[in-house]
Every structure is written in structure tokens, then in C-alpha cells.
Amino acid sequence: STDDDQDHCDLFRQWLESSTVSTELGKRGFHRELTTTVELRPNVLHDISVLLLYRWPNGVYVDPYQLASLSAHNDWQILLDSSIDLEVPAHKTLGFLSYVYLSNAGSTSSLLKATIPVHGRYHEPSLAGETFTTVHIKPPDMLLRTGKCLDRLESYAVVDAPCTVSNSSMCPWVKINRQQEEGIIIFQVPVGDGSVVMPVCVGTLLVTIVCCVALSKCLFSLHVHTRASC
């Protein structure tokens, strides 16, 4: 009915105004976990799809094989916009997008969480002697979708994104307005010291030459001793 639709749209607008997103980076080193928590307010609205849009920089990657192995234990699904090369270094690749579909079906809690394993890519050695480089990860955008109300939400940004994780069609999603700008997530990735490349190469070459000379002298002495014995 018209009244039901109006009530639905009013609640949907409250979600757009009141729901919040927070992110936290856990663990250390190259292999981390990015946990995103969505708090839905009020938590009585149904028939709404929730999507997190991540814009990943080229300094990190997610492992599709790892995500597939964890999918049975997650209450969310992920879609990548491109194939991921796990071995290529940061300066030879580009950033990518991922769409995380959160499930609120049958949920009795207003909190939805998604923990994504994130891995740092190898970076070029630092010529300034630095041991870490910084990768900046932007917080995800939170998008909501309903089959109604789009004609009543002129003040909100509407973007096109895959309807479901199957990526078979595109749908309009409404982007929530951030109540406050969340800070960039800092990912410290270890890097090599480029200033010692030349000394290491020279030292390795000298050690190799010394070892070759010593081995050659040993073999020559053994050969002379063998001939003298004969």
C-alpha cells in the first residue's frame, strides 16, 4: 500500500542518515586483516541490500584463493573487478575494486562485520635507507539498495554497481552520507635498503672470486700430487 511504501522509505532514509561504517587494521607485517563494522540504525528494516565498495591501492592485494577457502565461514560475499596477480610488485600493477555484499537476512543484531585478509606487495628498495614504506587504504563506501524509494531520494548520490556477487547485471545503489570523515588507514610495509645494493653486490663478487681462486688452487695441488704419486 501507499502508506506501507511511505513507512518503508522513511525508515530507509533513517538508515541513510544514521548508519555508520568503521574500519580497523589488525595483525602486523605483510599479512594483515581489515575489519569493517557496519552499524545499522534503526535495525528493523528488511528487504534492503548492503554493499561495501573498497578502492584498493596498488600496494596491497587480496588473495582470491584464500577468500574462496574462507567463503564457507563468512556471512558476506566478495566480488573483484579484475584478476589479481599475487606475485607482481607494487610498482608494476594497478589498484582494483572489490564489492563486499553483507548479509542482514535473519540478523538480530544491528552490527554487520566483514574481515578481509589483506597482503602487502613487495616494493622497490628505498634509496634513502628507509626500512618501511606507507600504503594508504581508503575506508569503503557503504551503499544500500531497495526496490522502492529511488524517486524520493533526490538529495542522495546514486551509483551503479553489480546487483549481486554473481555480477550478472547492474543496479542503482544509494550511497550513505558520512557523518564524519573517517581517516585513511595506514599500512606499513617492510622494504629493502637500496643504498646497500652496490656494496652487497661488490662483496658477493669478491667472495665468489676468492672462493673460485681457492678452489682452483686446491684442485691444482691435488692434480700435481696425483701425478707425482703415479
Side-chain angles (χ1 to χ4, degrees):
S1 66
T2 303
D3 291 340
D4 290 340
D5 289 348
Q6 183 62 45
D7 291 342
H8 178 90
C9 293
D10 290 341
L11 287 173
F12 184 73
R13 190 175 291 105
Q14 290 182 39
W15 265 30
L16 292 172
E17 294 290 345
S18 305
S19 298
T20 59
V21 181
S22 60
T23 52
E24 182 180 3
L25 190 64
K27 296 187 175 181
R28 295 185 177 183
F30 276 95
H31 309 289
R32 313 289 289 272
E33 288 183 345
L34 184 65
T35 299
T36 302
T37 302
V38 174
E39 184 175 3
L40 304 173
R41 294 194 296 261
N43 60 344
V44 295
L45 192 59
H46 302 287
D47 300 327
I48 297 297
S49 299
V50 183
L51 172 62
L52 296 175
L53 173 57
Y54 294 81
R55 294 178 172 84
W56 302 99
N58 63 342
V60 298
Y61 70 92
V62 296
D63 186 345
Y65 305 102
Q66 182 184 24
L67 293 174
S69 67
L70 297 175
S71 60
H73 308 287
N74 296 330
D75 54 0
W76 50 270
Q77 296 176 301
I78 188 170
L79 172 66
L80 304 177
D81 76 326
S82 60
S83 60
I84 304 295
D85 190 331
L86 307 183
E87 303 297 332
V88 68
H91 63 282
K92 292 186 178 180
T93 188
L94 301 174
F96 62 98
L97 302 179
S98 69
Y99 304 89
V100 173
Y101 296 83
L102 302 177
S103 174
N104 64 328
S107 176
T108 58
S109 172
S110 62
L111 295 179
L112 303 178
K113 286 190 177 184
T115 299
I116 304 176
V118 183
H119 311 279
R121 289 192 180 276
Y122 291 105
H123 288 67
E124 290 185 295
S126 170
L127 298 178
E130 298 177 351
T131 56
F132 288 88
T133 188
T134 300
V135 178
H136 297 93
I137 303 176
K138 295 181 178 180
D141 292 331
M142 179 177 168
L143 309 176
L144 301 177
R145 182 169 68 88
T146 179
K148 311 171 185 178
C149 310
L150 284 180
D151 57 340
R152 309 179 191 181
L153 301 170
E154 296 84 358
S155 60
Y156 293 90
V158 178
V159 299
D160 288 331
C163 300
T164 65
V165 73
S166 63
N167 196 25
S168 58
S169 59
M170 302 293 284
C171 291
W173 294 77
V174 183
K175 181 180 177 181
I176 70 165
N177 296 324
R178 296 184 184 274
Q179 292 184 333
Q180 58 184 10
E181 192 64 26
E182 189 173 352
I184 298 295
I185 302 163
I186 304 298
F187 191 156
Q188 294 283 349
V189 180
V191 295
D193 187 353
S195 63
V196 300
V197 170
M198 186 59 67
V200 169
C201 291
V202 172
T204 302
L205 180 60
L206 290 177
V207 170
T208 303
I209 293 174
V210 171
C211 291
C212 289
V213 170
L215 182 59
S216 298
K217 290 179 64 176
C218 181
L219 292 176
F220 179 77
S221 299
L222 181 61
H223 178 70
V224 171
H225 177 73
T226 302
R227 291 189 61 183
S229 298
C230 294

